[in-house]
Structure formats: C-alpha cells, structure tokens
Amino acid sequence: MPKSRIIVLGSSNTDMVVQTERFPKPGETILGGDFFMNQGGKGANQAVAAARLGGDVLFVTSVGNDIFGKTALHALQKEGVDVSYTRIDQGTPSGVAVITIDRNGENNIVVAPGANGALLPDEVRHVEDLIQAGTLILMQLEIPIQTVEHIISKAAHRGAKVILNPAPAQTLSQNILNKIYLLTPNEEEASLLTGIPVHDISSAQLAAKILVEKGVQNVVITLGSKGALALFEGTYIQVPAQKVMAVDTTAAGDVFNGALAVALNEGQPIPDALTFASQAAAIAVTRLGAQSSSPYRNEIEKYYQTTQNQI
C-alpha cells in the first residue's frame, strides 16, 4: 500500500531535565545530578519519531517568538519534519517542561504549555485543506481540547483516520470518542477514560472493550513492562514488552505512537505494527532525552535481527 503524508498536530516544548537518585518528598530539597536541555513536547516527539522511521511528516504546532521556539523549529527541520504550518506566537513564550529522572529511569514531568495553549481552532483552519480520505492524523492532548475536537470532526467528515494519544490524561467527550480511528492510552489514561483500574492484560482487555463500546473504532493500551494490548477490528492482540535496561522512559510512549503511525500508514498488519512500535520504544528507553532517544529505521531492523538470533 503506498504511504501518504502523516500529519501530526501537537505540542512543542523545551525539556529541562535533572537526574536524581530519587524524587523529593513534598517540601523537601535534594541535590540532583546532571542537568541538560532537550527538544520535547509530545507532538514534536511523535513527529520526530515518525520522521526518523521513514514517515513523511508535517507537524502543526505553535511556538513563541523566542530562542526556545526558534531552536525547536530548527531541530525539527534537521530531522526532515515539515514545519511550514507552524504558528509563531508573538506574545506568548514557547512551552517548557521540567523533568526529573530517578535512578530507575522513571520520570516526573511538569509542563508550562505557553504558546501550545494558543493553538486554537481558528489557528489550524489552514491545515483543513490537507485533510483528505486516507490521510493519517496523529494528535495528543497538550494542545487545547477544542482544537483536537475540531480536527477530529473534520477528519471524520472527510474520511481521514485519527490516532489520538490521550495524554496528558483527561476525560473525552462522546463527540471525540465516536470519531477516533485509534485511541492509544497508557494504563493511567485508560483507567481515567473507563473508570476501572488498569494494571494487567485482563483489566486492559476489559478497558479496551469499554472504550470500543463508547464508540472508539480501535484501541491500543500500552502497559509499560507488560507490553501492549490492542482491540483492533474486534480482535484482541497482545504484544509483550521488549526486555531492556531502561535509562529514561520520558518519551517511550511518544516513540511508540510515532512508530505505530508509520507502520499503519505503510499498511503493516496490526500485529506487525505493534511489534515495530514496541521495538522502537524499547530502544528509546535505553537512551536519555526525548527526541534524541528516537531510533532510526536501520536500528529497528538491527534490533529485530538481534532478537531473532536470540530466540
């Protein structure tokens, strides 16, 4: 199947990262380790992940007219991402995320959305002409929910497919759920959307069933070290997690979503697409940073060959 352009709408942030042995308790100050800055934001992370894996990616975002925004756009262009539809906000700073990573590679993240919050429906109307039957659109929830709903409605009307990664976790209207081709929550997000605790394959199956009953066409629930569970076209599919030593899990979900979008856009069967996305995420967690951790296509192929030889 010939692949088409992937449109990613979402956030762009600058990540300010501190490594530490453990997370501080409320009111506690502790000394951390190394500090570094990376390009981040769920939208930008997913756009870079898709581009590195061979996707033809158009990224729609909003950044401030500041050094953070200019640096972010330059980095995206170097990755081969088309940023020609980016909105430059003259009065609001670019988004920033403050990230703490502990010795186990787990993270705490606080985001100041900045210009991401100004990506309102009126600011994305110039993108609507690009939405056609068969277009694949990937979105998250670090931009205003009314913009997400607006694009989903346009996509449904024109026969385009929307993959929605519902992160950060929040409730979704029935109007959104009814028009999503694929919803990709993690355990926490699936729990919020369904009202049941999701912590293993069995509970993930129940949550996926509830989400489909709510109107979502297909669901993939990521379960961290327990892999991923899909309910796709009426069939449950389970993919185990790849066994690696995690260093930083910051962008694992974003890499998974970007890789999944590429695989589905290429027409890969869902089991293969899930395995491909799982392999990409596994490589990402062995590296520090958000966009910088995303693997390239040849690394996925090398990883696959290595794991096959170990079987």
Side-chain angles (χ1 to χ4, degrees), residues 1 34 82 89 96 130 136 146 151 156 160 163 186-187 198 200-202 204 207 216 218 230 248 263 270 280:
M1 178 184 296
D34 292 337
D82 183 348
D89 194 301
V96 172
L130 303 178
L136 187 66
Q146 57 265 47
I151 293 296
I163 300 175
N186 63 17
E187 293 165 290
V198 177
D200 58 15
I201 294 297
S202 178
V216 178
N218 303 291
D248 180 6
I270 186 63

Side-chain angles (χ1 to χ4, degrees), residues 134-210:
T135 301
L136 187 66
I137 301 171
L138 176 59
M139 289 192 289
Q140 327 73 33
L141 301 178
E142 285 185 339
I143 57 175
I145 191 66
Q146 57 265 47
T147 304
V148 173
E149 186 165 1
H150 174 76
I151 293 296
I152 286 175
S153 293
K154 291 293 181 183
H157 179 69
R158 298 183 182 181
K161 295 180 178 179
V162 172
I163 300 175
L164 179 63
N165 177 219
Q170 61 177 281
T171 57
L172 298 174
S173 70
Q174 195 62 50
N175 188 46
I176 289 177
L177 294 172
N178 286 341
K179 297 173 182 175
I180 296 172
Y181 170 70
L182 176 60
L183 190 70
T184 62
N186 63 17
E187 293 165 290
E188 177 186 352
E189 294 146 8
S191 298
L192 175 67
L193 291 169
T194 62
I196 66 167
V198 177
H199 52 81
D200 58 15
I201 294 297
S202 178
S203 56
Q205 287 179 330
L206 178 57
K209 180 175 182 289
I210 291 172

Side-chain angles (χ1 to χ4, degrees), residues 15 29 39-40 44 57 65 73 75 99 140 144 204 209 213 231 253 266 272 277 296 301-302 309:
D15 292 345
T29 299
Q39 301 308 315
V57 181
N65 187 22
L73 295 183
I99 303 174
Q140 327 73 33
K209 180 175 182 289
E213 289 173 348
L231 179 51
E266 292 176 350
D272 294 346
Y296 292 91
E301 294 166 353
K302 182 179 179 181
N309 291 335

Side-chain angles (χ1 to χ4, degrees), residues 222-241:
T222 55
L223 301 164
S225 62
K226 295 179 285 293
L229 184 283
L231 179 51
F232 199 88
E233 296 180 353
T235 301
Y236 287 107
I237 302 161
Q238 181 184 347
V239 176

Side-chain angles (χ1 to χ4, degrees), residues 16 24 35 42 64 66 75 103 123 158 203 205 223 250 300:
M16 299 185 178
F35 167 80
K42 289 186 176 299
D66 52 30
R103 62 177 175 269
E123 304 297 337
R158 298 183 182 181
S203 56
Q205 287 179 330
L223 301 164
T250 299
I300 303 290

Side-chain angles (χ1 to χ4, degrees), residues 12-13 62-64 87 89 92-96 111-119 142:
S12 173
N13 294 322
S62 176
V63 299
R87 176 182 183 276
D89 194 301
T92 308
S94 298
V96 172
V111 178
N116 293 304
L119 194 64
E142 285 185 339

